[in-house]
Amino acid sequence: MPHFDVLIVGGGQAGAYAAIQLRQQGFVGTVAIAGRENELPYERPPLSKEYLLGDKEWERLLIRPASFWQEKAIALLLGLEVTAVQPTARQVTMNDGSSLGYGKLIWATGGEPRRLACPGTDLKGVHVVRTRAHADAILGQLSDVSRAVIVGGGYIGLEAAAVLRKLGKEVTLLEALPRVLARVAGEDVSSFYEAEHRAQGVDLRTSAAISAVEGLDRVSGVRLADGSLIECQMVIVGIGIIPSVEPLLAAGIKGENGIEVDDFCRTSDENIYAIGDCAAQANRFAGGAVLRVESVQNANDQAACAVKAILGEAQSYAAIPWFWSNQYDLKLQTVGISSGYDAAILRGDCAARCFSVLYLKAGRLIAVDAINATRDYVQARKLIEEWAMIAPEDLVDTSRPLKDLPRL
């Protein structure tokens, strides 16, 4: 049975960066990445943006070229999925029946796209966007599509809507909640993006409930709960992910909505770490709430944190969360976590398409959404890290940079 000093399960951003960090930090032991896809590790965010639009070719999505993994003696075990973990024996079982031993295990499997819970979701033409294969399947059918329905008003859904409109497709976007981006942004940001997408020709509907996806063997429409039918040749579902953690849970590792980890990304087993989208960790920027943070930033920073712990240089995870989304000519940059805010301050003019929304809790700045306002984003990051308190009347004053505003 092959044995690796560090076995990384998952070949996405978090897993790849953990392997890179091990070598950069001087680790000389054996390292392997076991990934279910038959692809070199690659960046996922461009799949719903530049790659789908054709602005970024596949090679530019690769995190590192093939030669890098060979030169760094990082074994890539592609097309393999871990189906069982035996923590006491420190080994895993793969979907082909083989087994691998490990000294330390880093679980970086991300998640599977959540599917619609209604009839017709298995019809041809119903898609999700999580892997290259998913994006390629969409691209392979676009020439036969004049009208698409996108389900979900989060980042993925809105980005896909923007891409399809640029490609000249008729788009209807359905969001079950009363507003888009409801879980990650305040009402000002939601209203702005709803208006923008409608101005770009998207038929955007909130509080929309789907009863079925209709068609014979291929999708022909989406039936809503009110009985109306939206005709289409493609459906793209972007309603979140379910963390891929079943083998660890079955092995008795603590977790529920993700694998719970401590400040050093260690699970309830001292030899197993979890990082990235599948890891649930207490976050000091969310008031200590245990949550999964789905972002490239978190994947990279948790990977670095786990590697330091493995190398005996443990440092508590303290990275501030940040996110971004590109839609049309709008760049949304978010820093901090706004959940639980008690005041939202609009800084700038939405009509000018350059503004920020600053979120306060008990007077302290906890998060910022910056739309085409990179300076606010950069300066707000430091203020959030410092738990700054700034008067709302000062925050709205765009004549002064955020960094120059007086503290309370």
Side-chain angles (χ1 to χ4, degrees), residues 116-317:
L116 289 173
C118 68
T121 58
D122 57 348
L123 288 171
K124 293 178 182 177
V126 179
H127 300 275
V128 293
V129 188
R130 182 72 179 177
T131 67
R132 181 192 186 182
H134 293 151
D136 284 349
I138 293 172
L139 289 169
Q141 295 180 7
L142 274 179
S143 61
D144 298 324
V145 172
S146 60
R147 185 175 183 84
V149 169
I150 295 175
V151 183
Y155 293 132
I156 295 294
L158 293 174
E159 289 166 359
V163 167
L164 293 186
R165 284 302 296 142
K166 284 186 176 180
L167 295 175
K169 311 300 181 183
E170 294 298 315
V171 177
T172 298
L173 187 143
L174 305 174
E175 167 56 51
L177 295 176
R179 59 187 178 89
V180 303
L181 298 173
R183 294 183 177 89
V184 296
E187 293 185 9
D188 286 324
V189 175
S190 296
S191 297
F192 175 79
Y193 274 94
E194 288 170 8
E196 176 65 23
H197 278 274
R198 287 175 176 136
Q200 295 284 351
V202 176
D203 177 7
L204 190 153
R205 310 183 192 185
T206 55
S207 300
I210 298 172
S211 61
V213 178
E214 298 190 354
L216 295 177
D217 77 334
R218 182 175 204 79
V219 61
S220 62
V222 173
R223 182 76 62 180
L224 301 185
D226 63 8
S228 61
L229 178 69
I230 304 171
E231 294 183 356
C232 63
Q233 301 85 39
M234 177 178 283
V235 175
I236 298 176
V237 181
I239 54 175
I241 66 167
I242 300 172
S244 298
V245 295
E246 294 83 359
L248 284 187
L249 296 179
I253 305 302
K254 187 178 180 182
E256 189 174 350
N257 178 28
I259 295 298
E260 294 185 19
V261 298
D262 64 12
D263 288 347
F264 311 106
C265 296
R266 287 184 303 220
T267 71
S268 54
D269 183 297
E270 64 179 2
N271 296 309
I272 301 177
Y273 295 75
I275 59 176
D277 292 358
C278 67
Q281 186 179 48
N283 193 299
R284 71 189 189 99
F285 293 99
V290 176
L291 72 164
R292 294 185 302 104
V293 178
E294 300 173 15
S295 71
V296 171
Q297 166 273 315
N298 186 65
N300 289 343
D301 286 336
Q302 283 190 335
C305 179
V307 165
K308 285 184 179 296
I310 289 171
L311 298 181
E313 304 168 1
Q315 295 180 12
S316 295
Y317 186 85

Side-chain angles (χ1 to χ4, degrees), residues 334-349:
T334 298
V335 60
I337 295 177
S338 62
S339 58
Y341 71 91
D342 52 35
I345 309 299
L346 177 62
R347 175 180 168 88
D349 182 9

